[in-house]
Amino acid sequence: MRSLFTIGLIASWYASNIGVLLLNKFLLSNYGFKYPIFLTLCHMMACSLLSYIAIEWLKIAPMQRVKSRLQMMKISALGFIFCLSVVGGNISLRYLPVSFNQAVGATTPFFTAVFAVVMTSKREGWITYVTLVPVVAGVIIASGGEPLFHLFGFMMCIGATAARALKSVLQGLLLSSEGEKLNSMNLLMYMAPVAVMALFPAALYMERGVVGITIALARDDWKFLIYLLFNSALAYFVNLANFLVTKHTSPLTLQVLGNAKGAVAVVISILIFKNPVSITGMLGYSLTVAGVILYTEAKKRSM
């Protein structure tokens, strides 16, 4: 029974991860709702509300209180970087196919290793760094073979991937003491409102008229409102499923499942959006995934 429950959690995590990615692409590119900052704002508003309900009312995770102004400042810094990573990822989906977006996103371990050395002087064994070579080489090959390559979209995707890695390294640095550590659900509950406060004025200034356009679209097509609400709720559920899978398995299992999830997302996105792919691009992505698997194995052996 327990194994069935775990399998169900993993399936939910896969479905929510891939679902929010495909819905983002559909809204931002195929549907023509070209407002990635506002879309991210909707995601963060849903995360703020639903994470509070899940912790305070449903007791999915124990409530952890912020104990000092300094701790809140650290959480706010993480929230801002988290916000940049999500916005960058959503902007990239306007210009890049999901398959290539996932290929670039797979280079997160490379940026994590770089930031870890620069910010903490923590060095891994040489074999760990060797495994990062195919991770980067694969993306370079995939870029050269991507029929729908877009330089600005590629830069946004790289930026989002780097910001995601920076957040994970900073989280270990800023919230390192036992009194300051927060589980992922509590951290999201405190980070999401910070992201909302940063995104609201940014959306109003950089995506002028977006609120009126969104209301008009919802009036003209009720399905758009359903898409937007479901997409926002799904963005929160990704984090919830991630937390529950980690709780019932292990962080290492999550890494392995994440590698497979990227490959599944690529196949499904190609089947749905029918974007052209080249043999060179697929070989490059396969090399990156192989590098990430080797990196995970090398990290496990070095522990």
Side-chain angles (χ1 to χ4, degrees):
M1 193 70 184
R2 183 177 174 81
S3 59
L4 283 175
F5 177 73
T6 304
I7 291 169
L9 278 179
I10 293 169
S12 299
W13 182 58
Y14 265 50
S16 58
N17 261 278
I18 296 171
V20 77
L21 190 67
L22 298 179
L23 259 177
N24 284 347
K25 177 64 178 176
F26 174 72
L27 287 170
L28 292 167
S29 185
N30 297 62
Y31 195 89
F33 185 72
K34 299 177 180 179
Y35 304 101
I37 298 175
F38 184 78
L39 183 63
T40 309
L41 173 62
C42 293
H43 289 179
M44 293 301 105
M45 289 171 67
C47 286
S48 299
L49 176 63
L50 295 177
S51 58
Y52 179 79
I53 291 171
I55 293 172
E56 183 67 26
W57 294 357
L58 301 180
K59 309 295 182 185
I60 285 175
M63 173 70 79
Q64 294 173 292
R65 303 290 181 185
V66 175
K67 296 177 180 177
S68 67
R69 183 178 296 180
L70 179 61
Q71 186 186 10
M72 192 63 230
M73 287 174 63
K74 293 176 180 179
I75 292 169
S76 298
L78 290 172
F80 184 70
I81 295 167
F82 175 63
C83 172
L84 289 178
S85 71
V86 179
V87 170
N90 284 342
I91 291 174
S92 74
L93 284 171
R94 272 196 61 191
Y95 303 99
L96 299 175
V98 173
S99 53
F100 187 55
N101 175 281
Q102 287 294 284
V104 177
T107 61
T108 302
F110 168 77
F111 289 103
T112 303
V114 170
F115 287 129
V117 171
V118 172
M119 300 174 71
T120 68
S121 299
K122 180 184 176 183
R123 298 185 183 278
E124 305 287 349
W126 66 270
I127 192 69
T128 305
Y129 294 115
V130 169
T131 61
L132 291 172
V133 174
V135 172
V136 178
V139 169
I140 293 171
I141 293 169
S143 301
E146 174 54 52
L148 300 178
F149 181 82
H150 190 285
L151 182 59
F152 178 70
F154 175 72
M155 290 171 64
M156 286 292 102
C157 199
I158 286 286
T161 305
R164 194 159 53 243
L166 178 61
K167 176 194 162 287
S168 68
V169 174
L170 273 178
Q171 187 174 327
L173 275 175
L174 297 180
L175 304 177
S176 56
S177 69
E178 285 303 318
E180 288 186 331
K181 283 182 180 177
L182 299 172
N183 64 47
S184 60
M185 295 311 297
N186 276 270
L187 186 59
L188 178 66
M189 183 179 69
Y190 291 118
M191 285 195 311
V194 173
V196 169
M197 287 188 286
L199 288 167
F200 189 72
L204 291 180
Y205 179 74
M206 298 175 72
E207 298 176 340
R208 294 184 186 277
V210 65
V211 176
I213 291 167
T214 304
I215 293 170
L217 279 171
R219 283 176 178 167
D220 292 342
D221 183 4
W222 63 269
K223 287 186 290 186
F224 168 73
L225 185 60
I226 299 298
Y227 290 144
L228 190 61
L229 290 174
F230 182 65
N231 180 245
S232 300
L234 207 55
Y236 167 72
F237 194 75
V238 168
N239 293 279
L240 175 61
N242 190 305
F243 170 75
L244 292 174
V245 170
T246 306
K247 182 179 177 181
H248 289 274
T249 56
S250 69
L252 188 62
T253 301
L254 193 76
Q255 278 187 314
V256 174
L257 291 170
N259 297 337
K261 174 189 65 66
V264 173
V266 167
V267 173
I268 292 175
S269 70
I270 292 171
L271 291 174
I272 291 176
F273 297 113
K274 303 189 187 313
N275 54 282
V277 291
S278 66
I279 294 174
T280 305
M282 290 309 293
L283 284 173
Y285 178 67
S286 300
L287 183 60
T288 295
V289 172
V292 172
I293 293 169
L294 290 172
Y295 173 80
T296 303
E297 187 63 26
K299 286 278 287 182
K300 184 173 71 173
R301 289 177 182 273
S302 66
M303 288 178 181

